[in-house]
Structure formats: structure tokens, C-alpha cells
Amino acid sequence: MKRLPLVIALASALLPLPSATAQTPLTSSTPVIGFYKFDVPVGTSAWVVGFVTRKEFQGAATSVAPGANQPDGTPTSIISQSGVTWANNQFPLHYIEVLSAGNSQGAVLDIVGTTATSLTVRGTLTGTPNYCVRKHVTLLSALPEAVSPPGQPINSGLVPFSDSVTLYNSNNTVSSYFPSANGSWLADDFATSANNAIIYPGQGLIISSSRMTTLTVGGGEVAYVKSGPTQVPVYRGQTNFVGPINPMVVTNAADPLYNAISSPTAGGGVTPLGSVGFTTSSFASFQDSITLFTQGGELNPAGSYFTSGSNIIADDFFTVANNVPLRNGYAVAVTVEEANRILTINQQHPSN
């Protein structure tokens, strides 16, 4: 399911992957590049992928012009790019991220066509922004060994054809996917491949597991800590699970970084709720809500919070809650009451 773009104004080399995992003690200045492990409880829990893929191209658009609408009526924009020679449809599962400072910085637009010197993207883009091209994170690239995690007991991992990952779509539908084996995900008809089901940057995923297990995010294409903000659309009248794009650096409370605070210059295990970006994303004060969950397998609310302009406040509409910790890797539920919003997530972990 393509995410519907809200109205928008306005290449790096592959890095080597070190063998450090989230359970390896790291200095606070060491970015996590490669993969990390996280503990999945029995039941239902909410997560977000803390990595992105590498940049396959980066540059300034030569020109931008409106394109033909998509069949669903969504407008498109054509980016003309000098100095390149792309193959037709070179980027079949990719998106652009706007890098230029301004209202559009961090916007994510799906690529729907490629010629030798142009990209067509879903959504309205203006000006000639700096941008990069990345491949989408998918179920397969995010969770490549979900059934039989390496180093885990034989009876671990998600149970094939039973345990699931659920994504909430932009059209108020829900898609559930099931692993059949390592390297194979299926739609809920148990026949259609879902390996390329897209997990958008900052989009939450719900894991339903019949046993406690440890899963790994990344380890291949999905291995990079992004820099800069990320725009995540949230929709009125539907469930929105979102989360910071910050990798977990630890999974063991005895590890020295378990409670360390992530920042643009230091990696840690948690992000203060006030630093995520809710207070700077035009959410309706005292109205749009953010719900945190315990990760014990029942998605029990751990607290509901609101914005009051410059602060996060508790549901008593008085207590300032900017420093409430949000564990990296965890997703929250956002409810917007009056209109669709764009949540601009701030990057709070040192990038590569």
C-alpha cells in the first residue's frame, strides 16, 4: 500500500558493516551500523525500524515540473537531473528524501518512474531541492531472519504461517503479513509474496508473536543511520503508529548504554519524548495525542500525552513531560483529531 503524500511545498558509497550488535557495549560516540537485536514478547508489541538503506544518489534537482496524476488521482512531479544516465525503471522500489532546509526537508516521496535523466515521484514538489535516492526498507530487508534467528534456540523466532507483522496503511486499511521461512514473507492469503511490502521511514509495525524471542533488524541493505529530519504523515480518523528512526544500541539493562540519552552527537538507548518532534510539527495543542505503550505483549498504554505549544504535557494538561523516555525501536500511537498532519521526526542519534 503506497502511503498517500500530504501536500509538500517546496550518492554515497556502501560502508562496511562491523560485527558489533546491539548487545555489544559501545562508546556513546560510536554510531550503530549494521544490525541490532530486540526482544519480542509473547503477544502484541509495537516497533519501528531504526535504520534506513544507503543513498544511491544525491544531488540538486536541475528542474522540477508537474507530471500526470496517478490512477488514484495523486499528483506527481518530474525531477529532471543533468549529469546522470539512469536506466528506465532503475529505481523500482525506491523513494527520494528532500535534503534542502525548509518546510519540505525530510519529505519522503515514492519514485514511480525513471528515465535516463529524470525521476517521477508521487506528490507535489516545487523548486529545485537537494535530494537523495534510497531503496525502501521492506519486510524482507528489515527482518531477514525472522523465523530462525542466528544464535538462538531452534524453537525461537516467529512461528511460520501463525505469527505476523501488521502495518496500518494510509487509506485506513490494515495489512498483516506472515513469515513462511527465513527470506519469505506472505500476505494474508498465504500465497502472495510480501517480501517487498514497504515499511516507510518512521512507520510503526505491530508484531504478534506466540513466543518470546529475539529478532534482528537489518544486517544487509538496511544498515544505515540517517541524518536530518524525516517527515511522517499521520492521518485524521485512523490509527497511526510511528516512531523515531534511531537504532537500539542495547537490549540488556546491564549494558552501560541502556538508559543513555540519544542525541545528534551521542548514541543512546532512549530518546526524550520532547525531542522527537511533536512540539514542532503543528499538532493541535491539548487535542492531538501521543500514546506510549508497555512492551509486555498486550499493548497496554503506558501514558497519553499532548502538546501545549513548546512542551509535551501529561494527560492532566498540566505536568510537563518533555523528559519522558521513549526507548529507541519502540513505536507510539498518534491520534490527530481535526486534520491530517505531518510529523517531522528529529534525528537524535549520530549518523554515519
Side-chain angles (χ1 to χ4, degrees):
M1 173 64 208
K2 298 264 191 301
R3 182 175 288 190
L4 299 178
L6 302 184
V7 176
I8 297 168
L10 182 243
S12 68
L14 184 64
L15 299 179
L17 305 182
S19 59
T21 74
Q23 293 176 322
T24 302
L26 301 172
T27 66
S28 62
S29 61
T30 303
V32 180
I33 306 172
F35 60 94
Y36 63 88
K37 297 180 183 295
F38 64 107
D39 297 325
V40 178
V42 175
T44 305
S45 49
W47 306 91
V48 66
V49 176
F51 283 133
V52 293
T53 60
R54 70 182 178 95
K55 296 175 182 176
E56 298 190 22
F57 173 82
Q58 180 173 327
T62 305
S63 64
V64 174
N69 285 358
Q70 291 281 281
D72 63 2
T74 302
T76 67
S77 301
I78 300 173
I79 301 171
S80 296
Q81 190 65 54
S82 61
V84 297
T85 307
W86 290 319
N88 287 340
N89 299 317
Q90 179 167 329
F91 302 117
L93 197 63
H94 295 65
Y95 64 95
I96 71 160
E97 175 189 343
V98 177
L99 303 177
S100 297
N103 292 335
S104 297
Q105 186 178 17
V108 169
L109 294 86
D110 289 324
I111 296 174
V112 295
T114 313
T115 70
T117 58
S118 72
L119 301 172
T120 301
V121 298
R122 287 173 59 93
T124 301
L125 189 65
T126 61
T128 52
N130 292 318
Y131 68 98
C132 69
V133 174
R134 298 185 192 268
K135 189 174 182 180
H136 274 297
V137 173
T138 65
L139 273 175
L140 180 58
S141 61
L143 300 169
E145 296 172 316
V147 170
S148 301
Q152 300 295 310
I154 294 176
N155 293 322
S156 66
L158 300 181
V159 177
F161 304 104
S162 175
D163 296 343
S164 64
V165 169
T166 297
L167 299 175
Y168 286 76
N169 303 313
S170 60
N171 62 355
N172 209 19
T173 63
V174 176
S175 298
S176 291
Y177 305 101
F178 300 81
S180 61
N182 278 347
S184 177
W185 288 85
L186 300 176
D188 56 8
D189 61 5
F190 297 108
T192 304
S193 175
N195 285 348
N196 288 335
I198 291 171
I199 303 172
Y200 283 87
Q203 181 181 15
L205 55 151
I206 306 302
I207 297 180
S208 296
S209 179
S210 56
R211 59 192 176 198
M212 184 179 296
T213 190
T214 299
L215 298 182
T216 299
V217 165
E221 292 178 322
V222 182
Y224 294 81
V225 184
K226 79 178 297 293
S227 61
T230 304
Q231 292 193 9
V232 181
V234 289
Y235 301 96
R236 175 182 176 272
Q238 64 185 72
T239 303
N240 302 280
F241 282 99
V242 300
I245 312 172
N246 295 330
M248 288 185 172
V249 294
V250 289
T251 57
N252 185 342
D255 217 314
L257 293 183
Y258 186 77
N259 290 314
I261 302 298
S262 288
S263 74
T265 58
V270 301
T271 298
L273 194 58
S275 298
V276 173
F278 295 106
T279 59
T280 54
S281 295
S282 299
F283 276 45
S285 297
F286 306 103
Q287 187 173 18
D288 298 338
S289 63
I290 307 116
T291 301
L292 276 62
F293 300 95
T294 61
Q295 290 288 53
E298 297 179 354
L299 278 187
N300 287 323
S304 291
Y305 302 90
F306 301 82
T307 65
S308 64
S310 58
N311 291 309
I312 298 291
I313 57 170
D315 57 6
D316 61 5
F317 297 110
F318 176 77
T319 304
V320 175
N322 291 329
N323 291 326
V324 168
L326 175 61
R327 284 282 288 128
N328 291 345
Y330 286 9
V332 303
V334 171
T335 302
V336 291
E337 298 291 345
E338 293 183 344
N340 296 339
R341 309 284 185 190
I342 293 178
L343 168 62
T344 300
I345 295 178
N346 299 319
Q347 180 57 30
Q348 290 292 317
H349 199 286
S351 67
N352 54 36

